[in-house]
Amino acid sequence: MDESQISLIKNSWNSLLPQKEETGSLFYQTLFQDDTSLRYLFGTNLTGQIRKFMDMINFIVDQLHHPDQLEKELKALAHRHFQYGVLSVDYDTVGKALLKTLASQLQEEWTPETETAWQELYRTVTQTMLNSLKSPA
Ligand code: HEM
């Protein structure tokens, strides 16, 4: 990710922040429509989960200039996700649902450049998480 991509991510994320809860709930709605079987991994009350997920994306966006800090957090997150029973294929499903949600919320701000920047961010995050599972927590 280059500097211009980091700016696109930060600016688009900031535009969404006022609708953080709405965006988070749309994300889970989209995810469970795309793969119903994933619903059973989560508890019955999604409100807390929506907040935690959105706060974590916020943290990631916030730490883009601090890769060491980010890597440390993502490594711990990956190990917790392994415990939840999340499989590597599920990361693709989540990525697609996340990007679809961002596209529908951002509308005209979702330019091809912004889409590429988010694809790149999600790819890097997933790669860091999955690679860290190859070494002990
Ligand atoms: C960029 C990728 C992801 C991020 C940032 C993320 C973020 C989070 C956060 C912050 C939590 C709260 C608990 C914790 O911190 O450990 C969580 C829980 C969870 N996530 Fe993720 N997640 C990601 C990918 C996934 C994927 C691919 C799945 C697969 C379906 C998934 C399923 C879950 C489940 C099952 C829980 C526990 C829910 C519960 O306890 O009810 N996550 N996630």
Side-chain angles (χ1 to χ4, degrees):
M1 245 174 308
D2 58 28
E3 277 305 315
S4 74
Q5 289 181 313
I6 291 180
S7 297
L8 286 169
I9 288 169
K10 284 184 183 283
N11 292 340
S12 55
W13 183 252
N14 282 337
S15 312
L16 282 181
L17 278 183
Q19 295 101 43
K20 198 165 129 186
E21 261 108 78
E22 181 193 310
T23 304
S25 86
L26 181 64
F27 161 71
Y28 281 101
Q29 235 173 288
T30 309
L31 180 66
F32 300 145
Q33 255 160 29
D34 289 354
D35 186 344
T36 320
S37 73
L38 294 179
R39 181 65 188 89
Y40 304 103
L41 287 176
F42 294 87
T44 43
N45 186 355
L46 266 187
T47 313
Q49 180 59 32
I50 291 171
R51 191 179 38 77
K52 286 180 201 166
F53 179 79
M54 294 303 280
D55 285 351
M56 184 57 80
I57 303 288
N58 197 57
F59 173 83
I60 293 170
V61 171
D62 215 47
Q63 297 296 312
L64 288 175
H65 287 120
H66 305 281
D68 292 349
Q69 190 60 35
L70 186 55
E71 194 181 336
K72 195 173 140 219
E73 190 64 38
L74 290 178
K75 189 175 173 179
L77 187 68
H79 282 85
R80 292 198 297 277
H81 278 70
F82 181 75
Q83 303 293 328
Y84 303 144
V86 173
L87 305 174
S88 28
V89 288
D90 299 330
Y91 283 85
D92 285 347
T93 318
V94 163
K96 285 186 186 126
L98 179 63
L99 266 73
K100 253 198 254 180
T101 304
L102 298 178
S104 102
Q105 292 288 85
L106 286 163
Q107 301 189 6
E108 67 272 15
E109 213 185 319
W110 188 252
T111 60
E113 292 77 18
T114 302
E115 179 171 10
T116 306
W118 276 95
Q119 269 166 354
E120 189 61 18
L121 171 63
Y122 190 79
R123 197 187 57 78
T124 311
V125 165
T126 302
Q127 203 174 51
T128 306
M129 288 177 75
L130 293 176
N131 276 343
S132 78
L133 294 178
K134 294 173 189 159
S135 57

